[in-house]
Amino acid sequence: MSSSTSSTVERAFRAALYAETDTALDTGASLLAADPAADAELACHGREFVAAAWRRGWQPADVVRIVRRELDDIHVRLASALIGAQLPDDCPRGPRWRAQLDELAEQAAEAADTPSRTDRFTHATTVLELYRLLLRLPTLEPLEDHEPTATRHPRPESRMLTRIRALLAKAEATGFPEEAEALTAKAQELSARHSIDEALLAAQAPSPDTPGACRIGVEAPYEQAKAVLLDAVATANHCRAVWNEPLGFSTVVGFEADLEAVELLYTSLLVQATHAMTKAEAAQRAGGRKRTKTFRQSFFAAYAHRIGTRLAAAAETQVTDDLLPVLATREVAVTAHTDRMFPQTTTTRLRGVTDEAGWTQGAEAADRARVGARPRLP
């Protein structure tokens, strides 16, 4: 590598990475655009920025989520490409990390069908904007993502999670709110049964399972209500959720089978809540009321509040007195793990819940189906 090439990249970085102005970006991009020999070193620095993000506790899905939130699609594609390019230099990771990489690879393959063509100056500007964001990522709580131990009992999650996914897919597709609610309640029952089976297996194993954590995006709009919804789903599934409002995600702490259930249920409930809100809002507009932000915020808040009660009731149908000691032990482990990761947390009051019609409609959307005492699953 020639000294002139190194000087080009260094001068571009000095001009652009530590300044906020468009003028600084233009200066750095002009330097890079005029020197094609700098491309290799520029890409090398990008891989280094990605590796630094991993050291600061970020994971692939986290990086892509923050890039999508702060920048544009072209930056997301570039970030995904950098993550893939850095992969050969990375250390072995666990199954959740690999699943994130697989998803990014699928998205990259889809995006490859419509390649974007840009001139060198535009491309250099995009690179510098992305690098500036990566450079400024804060340190996050590290998430352990290890391979399962050899002594761990193989989990029968494939069949159970397939059934849960199928129920949730039907709930999302149906046009009947009552059916959607009933299907979701059944999915929660299956999740609760799966969690109990996992707890019993872990209690009998020579090396019991330990809690882990994952991050789930909580995106605007109505992110407060969505965070409440995720917290409700997490609590019903023996997990704890800690919301990071500035970065747009919640960290969910729990045992792996429960984390999987939380991700599935939360994603599905967001879809169902949005469908129900759209339908309720259309009825409001048909009655002469204009669409309002407060209606939607209140709807989501009521939905989240009521759904927590419903999911908890569905989960309790799977618990008998003889299971309480095992579940209590796991709850203590989850709480201790959460406290280690987040020694300082605060509570937040939900804002913007002022629309009575929105609250009523949201509560009714979450409460249509009867979720009473149900027989234990066979």
Side-chain angles (χ1 to χ4, degrees), residues 202-263:
Q204 297 166 4
S207 299
D209 199 0
T210 57
C214 68
R215 298 189 186 102
I216 299 177
V218 180
E219 305 290 351
Y222 323 119
E223 57 271 31
Q224 274 199 325
K226 292 175 182 177
V228 172
L229 176 62
L230 177 53
D231 182 76
V233 175
T235 300
N237 288 278
H238 316 295
C239 296
R240 295 276 300 277
V242 179
W243 183 34
N244 187 320
E245 183 177 5
L247 296 179
F249 64 78
S250 285
T251 301
V252 182
V253 182
F255 288 87
E256 183 60 30
D258 299 330
L259 294 177
E260 292 170 343
V262 170
E263 288 184 286

Coordinates of all heavy atoms in Angstrom, one line a residue, residues 202-263:
A202 N -34.2 -28.9 32.1 CA -33.0 -28.2 32.6 C -32.8 -28.6 34.1 O -31.7 -28.8 34.5 CB -33.2 -26.7 32.5
A203 N -33.9 -28.8 34.8 CA -33.8 -29.1 36.2 C -33.2 -30.5 36.4 O -32.5 -30.8 37.4 CB -35.1 -29.0 36.9
Q204 N -33.4 -31.4 35.4 CA -33.0 -32.8 35.5 C -31.6 -33.0 34.9 O -31.0 -34.0 35.1 CB -34.0 -33.7 34.8 CG -35.3 -33.7 35.4 CD -36.4 -34.3 34.6 OE1 -36.1 -34.8 33.5 NE2 -37.7 -34.3 35.0
A205 N -31.1 -32.0 34.2 CA -29.8 -32.1 33.4 C -28.7 -32.0 34.4 O -28.8 -31.2 35.4 CB -29.8 -31.1 32.3
P206 N -27.5 -32.6 34.1 CA -26.3 -32.4 34.9 C -25.8 -31.0 34.9 O -25.4 -30.5 36.0 CB -25.3 -33.3 34.2 CG -26.1 -34.3 33.4 CD -27.3 -33.6 33.0
S207 N -26.0 -30.3 33.8 CA -25.6 -28.9 33.7 C -26.8 -28.0 33.3 O -27.1 -27.9 32.1 CB -24.4 -28.7 32.7 OG -23.3 -29.4 33.1
P208 N -27.5 -27.5 34.3 CA -28.7 -26.8 34.0 C -28.5 -25.7 33.0 O -27.4 -25.0 33.0 CB -29.3 -26.3 35.3 CG -28.6 -27.2 36.3 CD -27.3 -27.6 35.7
D209 N -29.5 -25.4 32.2 CA -29.5 -24.2 31.3 C -29.4 -22.9 32.1 O -29.7 -22.9 33.3 CB -30.7 -24.2 30.5 CG -30.6 -23.4 29.2 OD1 -29.5 -22.8 29.0 OD2 -31.6 -23.3 28.5
T210 N -28.9 -21.9 31.5 CA -28.7 -20.6 32.2 C -29.4 -19.5 31.3 O -29.6 -19.7 30.1 CB -27.3 -20.2 32.3 OG1 -26.6 -20.2 31.1 CG2 -26.6 -21.2 33.3
P211 N -29.8 -18.4 31.9 CA -30.5 -17.4 31.1 C -29.6 -16.8 30.1 O -28.4 -16.7 30.3 CB -31.0 -16.4 32.2 CG -30.9 -17.1 33.5 CD -29.8 -18.1 33.3
G212 N -30.2 -16.3 29.0 CA -29.5 -15.5 28.0 C -30.3 -14.2 27.8 O -31.1 -13.8 28.6
A213 N -30.0 -13.6 26.6 CA -30.7 -12.3 26.3 C -30.7 -12.1 24.8 O -29.8 -12.6 24.1 CB -30.0 -11.1 27.1
C214 N -31.6 -11.3 24.4 CA -31.6 -10.9 23.0 C -32.2 -9.5 22.9 O -32.8 -9.0 23.8 CB -32.5 -11.9 22.1 SG -34.3 -11.8 22.5
R215 N -32.0 -8.8 21.8 CA -32.5 -7.5 21.6 C -33.6 -7.6 20.5 O -33.4 -8.2 19.5 CB -31.4 -6.5 21.2 CG -30.3 -6.4 22.2 CD -29.3 -5.2 21.9 NE -28.2 -5.2 22.8 CZ -27.0 -5.7 22.6 NH1 -26.8 -6.2 21.4 NH2 -26.1 -5.6 23.5
I216 N -34.7 -6.8 20.8 CA -35.8 -6.8 19.8 C -36.1 -5.3 19.5 O -36.2 -4.5 20.5 CB -37.0 -7.5 20.4 CG1 -36.7 -9.0 20.7 CG2 -38.2 -7.3 19.5 CD1 -37.9 -9.7 21.4
G217 N -36.2 -5.0 18.3 CA -36.4 -3.6 17.9 C -37.8 -3.1 18.3 O -38.8 -3.8 18.3
V218 N -37.8 -1.9 18.9 CA -39.1 -1.2 19.3 C -39.1 0.1 18.5 O -38.5 1.1 19.0 CB -39.1 -1.0 20.8 CG1 -40.5 -0.4 21.2 CG2 -39.0 -2.4 21.5
E219 N -39.7 0.1 17.4 CA -39.6 1.2 16.5 C -40.7 2.2 16.6 O -41.8 1.9 16.9 CB -39.5 0.7 15.0 CG -38.4 -0.3 14.8 CD -37.0 0.3 14.8 OE1 -36.9 1.5 14.9 OE2 -36.0 -0.5 14.8
A220 N -40.4 3.5 16.2 CA -41.5 4.5 16.1 C -42.4 4.2 14.9 O -41.9 3.5 14.0 CB -40.8 5.9 15.9
P221 N -43.6 4.6 14.9 CA -44.2 5.5 15.9 C -44.8 4.6 17.1 O -44.9 3.4 17.0 CB -45.3 6.2 15.1 CG -45.7 5.1 14.1 CD -44.5 4.4 13.7
Y222 N -45.2 5.3 18.1 CA -45.9 4.7 19.3 C -45.0 3.7 20.0 O -45.4 2.7 20.4 CB -47.2 4.1 18.9 CG -48.0 4.8 17.8 CD1 -48.2 4.3 16.6 CD2 -48.3 6.1 18.1 CE1 -48.9 5.0 15.6 CE2 -49.0 6.9 17.1 CZ -49.3 6.3 15.8 OH -49.9 7.0 14.9
E223 N -43.7 4.1 20.0 CA -42.7 3.2 20.6 C -42.9 2.9 22.1 O -42.6 1.8 22.5 CB -41.3 3.7 20.3 CG -41.0 5.0 20.8 CD -41.3 6.2 19.8 OE1 -42.2 6.0 19.0 OE2 -40.6 7.2 19.9
Q224 N -43.4 3.9 22.8 CA -43.7 3.6 24.2 C -44.7 2.5 24.4 O -44.5 1.6 25.2 CB -44.1 4.9 24.9 CG -43.1 5.8 25.4 CD -43.6 6.8 26.4 OE1 -44.7 7.3 26.3 NE2 -42.8 7.1 27.4
A225 N -45.8 2.6 23.7 CA -46.8 1.6 23.8 C -46.3 0.2 23.3 O -46.6 -0.8 23.9 CB -48.1 2.0 23.0
K226 N -45.5 0.2 22.3 CA -44.9 -1.0 21.8 C -44.0 -1.6 22.8 O -43.9 -2.8 23.0 CB -44.2 -0.8 20.5 CG -45.1 -0.4 19.3 CD -44.4 -0.1 18.0 CE -45.3 0.3 16.9 NZ -44.6 0.7 15.7
A227 N -43.2 -0.8 23.5 CA -42.3 -1.3 24.6 C -43.1 -1.9 25.7 O -42.8 -2.9 26.3 CB -41.4 -0.1 25.1
V228 N -44.3 -1.3 26.0 CA -45.2 -1.9 27.0 C -45.7 -3.2 26.6 O -45.8 -4.2 27.3 CB -46.3 -0.9 27.3 CG1 -47.4 -1.5 28.2 CG2 -45.8 0.4 28.0
L229 N -46.1 -3.3 25.3 CA -46.6 -4.6 24.7 C -45.5 -5.6 24.8 O -45.8 -6.8 25.3 CB -47.0 -4.4 23.3 CG -47.4 -5.6 22.5 CD1 -48.6 -6.3 23.2 CD2 -47.7 -5.3 21.1
L230 N -44.3 -5.3 24.5 CA -43.2 -6.3 24.5 C -42.9 -6.7 26.0 O -42.7 -7.9 26.3 CB -41.9 -5.7 23.9 CG -40.6 -6.6 24.0 CD1 -40.9 -7.9 23.4 CD2 -39.5 -5.9 23.2
D231 N -43.0 -5.7 26.9 CA -42.8 -6.1 28.3 C -43.9 -7.0 28.8 O -43.6 -8.0 29.5 CB -42.8 -4.8 29.1 CG -42.6 -5.0 30.6 OD1 -41.5 -5.3 31.0 OD2 -43.6 -5.0 31.4
A232 N -45.1 -6.8 28.3 CA -46.2 -7.7 28.7 C -46.0 -9.1 28.2 O -46.2 -10.1 28.9 CB -47.6 -7.1 28.2
V233 N -45.6 -9.2 26.9 CA -45.3 -10.5 26.3 C -44.2 -11.2 27.1 O -44.2 -12.4 27.4 CB -45.0 -10.4 24.8 CG1 -44.6 -11.7 24.2 CG2 -46.2 -9.8 24.1
A234 N -43.1 -10.4 27.4 CA -42.0 -11.0 28.1 C -42.4 -11.5 29.4 O -42.0 -12.6 29.9 CB -40.9 -9.9 28.2
T235 N -43.1 -10.7 30.2 CA -43.5 -11.1 31.5 C -44.3 -12.4 31.5 O -44.2 -13.3 32.4 CB -44.3 -10.0 32.2 OG1 -43.5 -8.8 32.3 CG2 -44.7 -10.3 33.6
A236 N -45.3 -12.5 30.6 CA -46.1 -13.6 30.5 C -45.3 -14.9 30.1 O -45.8 -16.0 30.4 CB -47.2 -13.4 29.4
N237 N -44.1 -14.7 29.6 CA -43.3 -15.8 29.2 C -42.0 -16.0 30.0 O -41.0 -16.4 29.5 CB -42.9 -15.7 27.7 CG -44.1 -16.0 26.8 OD1 -44.4 -17.2 26.5 ND2 -44.8 -15.0 26.4
H238 N -42.1 -15.5 31.3 CA -41.1 -15.7 32.3 C -39.8 -15.0 31.9 O -38.7 -15.4 32.2 CB -40.8 -17.2 32.5 CG -42.0 -18.0 32.6 ND1 -42.9 -17.9 33.7 CD2 -42.5 -19.0 31.8 CE1 -43.8 -18.8 33.5 NE2 -43.7 -19.5 32.4
C239 N -39.9 -13.9 31.2 CA -38.7 -13.1 30.8 C -38.8 -11.7 31.4 O -39.9 -11.3 31.9 CB -38.6 -13.0 29.3 SG -38.3 -14.6 28.5
R240 N -37.7 -10.9 31.3 CA -37.7 -9.5 31.7 C -37.3 -8.7 30.5 O -36.4 -9.1 29.8 CB -36.7 -9.3 32.9 CG -37.1 -10.0 34.2 CD -38.0 -9.2 35.0 NE -37.5 -7.9 35.3 CZ -36.6 -7.6 36.3 NH1 -36.2 -8.7 37.1 NH2 -36.2 -6.4 36.6
A241 N -37.9 -7.5 30.3 CA -37.6 -6.7 29.2 C -37.1 -5.3 29.7 O -37.8 -4.7 30.6 CB -38.8 -6.5 28.3
V242 N -36.0 -4.8 29.2 CA -35.5 -3.5 29.5 C -35.4 -2.7 28.3 O -34.7 -3.0 27.3 CB -34.1 -3.6 30.2 CG1 -33.5 -2.2 30.6 CG2 -34.2 -4.5 31.4
W243 N -36.1 -1.5 28.2 CA -36.2 -0.7 27.0 C -35.1 0.3 27.0 O -34.8 1.0 27.9 CB -37.6 0.0 27.0 CG -37.9 0.8 25.8 CD1 -37.5 0.6 24.6 CD2 -38.7 2.0 25.8 NE1 -38.0 1.5 23.7 CE2 -38.7 2.4 24.5 CE3 -39.3 2.7 26.8 CZ2 -39.4 3.6 24.1 CZ3 -40.0 3.9 26.4 CH2 -40.1 4.3 25.0
N244 N -34.4 0.4 25.8 CA -33.5 1.4 25.5 C -34.1 2.4 24.5 O -34.1 2.2 23.3 CB -32.2 0.8 24.9 CG -31.1 1.9 24.8 OD1 -31.3 3.0 24.4 ND2 -29.8 1.5 25.1
E245 N -34.8 3.4 25.0 CA -35.5 4.3 24.2 C -34.7 5.0 23.1 O -35.0 5.1 21.9 CB -36.3 5.3 25.0 CG -37.2 6.3 24.2 CD -38.0 7.2 25.0 OE1 -37.8 7.2 26.3 OE2 -38.8 8.0 24.5
P246 N -33.5 5.6 23.5 CA -32.7 6.3 22.5 C -32.2 5.5 21.3 O -32.2 6.0 20.2 CB -31.5 6.8 23.3 CG -31.9 6.8 24.7 CD -32.9 5.7 24.8
L247 N -32.0 4.2 21.5 CA -31.5 3.3 20.5 C -32.6 2.4 19.8 O -32.3 1.7 18.9 CB -30.3 2.4 21.0 CG -29.1 3.2 21.4 CD1 -28.0 2.3 21.9 CD2 -28.5 4.1 20.3
G248 N -33.8 2.5 20.3 CA -34.9 1.9 19.7 C -35.0 0.4 19.8 O -35.3 -0.3 18.8
F249 N -34.6 -0.2 20.9 CA -34.8 -1.6 21.2 C -35.0 -1.9 22.6 O -34.7 -1.1 23.5 CB -33.6 -2.4 20.6 CG -32.3 -2.1 21.4 CD1 -32.0 -2.6 22.6 CD2 -31.3 -1.3 20.8 CE1 -30.8 -2.4 23.3 CE2 -30.1 -1.0 21.5 CZ -29.9 -1.5 22.7
S250 N -35.5 -3.1 22.9 CA -35.5 -3.6 24.3 C -34.7 -4.9 24.3 O -34.6 -5.7 23.4 CB -37.0 -4.0 24.7 OG -37.7 -2.9 24.9
T251 N -34.0 -5.0 25.5 CA -33.2 -6.3 25.7 C -34.1 -7.2 26.6 O -34.6 -6.8 27.6 CB -31.9 -5.9 26.5 OG1 -31.1 -5.0 25.7 CG2 -31.1 -7.2 26.7
V252 N -34.4 -8.4 26.0 CA -35.2 -9.3 26.7 C -34.3 -10.4 27.3 O -33.5 -11.0 26.6 CB -36.2 -10.0 25.8 CG1 -37.1 -10.9 26.6 CG2 -37.1 -8.9 25.1
V253 N -34.4 -10.6 28.6 CA -33.6 -11.6 29.4 C -34.5 -12.8 29.7 O -35.6 -12.6 30.3 CB -33.0 -11.0 30.6 CG1 -32.1 -12.0 31.3 CG2 -32.2 -9.7 30.3
G254 N -34.0 -14.0 29.5 CA -34.7 -15.2 29.8 C -34.0 -16.4 29.3 O -32.9 -16.3 28.7
F255 N -34.7 -17.6 29.5 CA -34.1 -18.8 28.9 C -34.5 -18.9 27.5 O -35.5 -18.3 27.0 CB -34.7 -20.0 29.7 CG -34.1 -20.1 31.1 CD1 -34.7 -19.4 32.2 CD2 -33.0 -20.9 31.4 CE1 -34.2 -19.5 33.5 CE2 -32.5 -20.9 32.7 CZ -33.1 -20.2 33.7
E256 N -33.7 -19.6 26.7 CA -33.7 -19.6 25.3 C -35.1 -19.9 24.7 O -35.6 -19.2 23.8 CB -32.7 -20.5 24.7 CG -32.6 -20.5 23.2 CD -32.3 -19.2 22.6 OE1 -31.6 -18.4 23.3 OE2 -32.7 -18.9 21.5
A257 N -35.8 -21.0 25.2 CA -37.1 -21.3 24.7 C -38.1 -20.2 24.9 O -38.9 -19.9 24.1 CB -37.6 -22.6 25.4
D258 N -38.0 -19.5 26.1 CA -38.9 -18.4 26.3 C -38.5 -17.2 25.4 O -39.5 -16.5 25.0 CB -38.8 -18.0 27.8 CG -39.2 -19.1 28.7 OD1 -40.0 -19.9 28.3 OD2 -38.6 -19.2 29.9
L259 N -37.3 -16.9 25.2 CA -36.9 -15.8 24.3 C -37.5 -16.0 22.9 O -37.9 -15.1 22.3 CB -35.4 -15.7 24.2 CG -34.6 -15.3 25.5 CD1 -33.1 -15.3 25.3 CD2 -35.1 -13.9 26.0
E260 N -37.4 -17.3 22.4 CA -38.0 -17.6 21.1 C -39.5 -17.3 21.1 O -40.0 -16.7 20.1 CB -37.7 -19.0 20.8 CG -36.2 -19.3 20.5 CD -35.9 -20.8 20.4 OE1 -36.8 -21.6 20.8 OE2 -34.8 -21.2 19.9
A261 N -40.1 -17.7 22.1 CA -41.6 -17.5 22.2 C -41.9 -16.0 22.2 O -42.9 -15.5 21.6 CB -42.2 -18.1 23.4
V262 N -41.1 -15.2 23.0 CA -41.4 -13.8 23.1 C -41.2 -13.1 21.7 O -42.0 -12.3 21.3 CB -40.4 -13.1 24.1 CG1 -40.4 -11.6 24.0 CG2 -40.7 -13.6 25.5
E263 N -40.1 -13.5 21.0 CA -39.9 -12.9 19.6 C -41.1 -13.2 18.7 O -41.6 -12.3 18.0 CB -38.6 -13.4 19.1 CG -37.4 -12.9 19.7 CD -36.1 -13.3 19.0 OE1 -35.7 -14.5 19.2 OE2 -35.5 -12.5 18.3

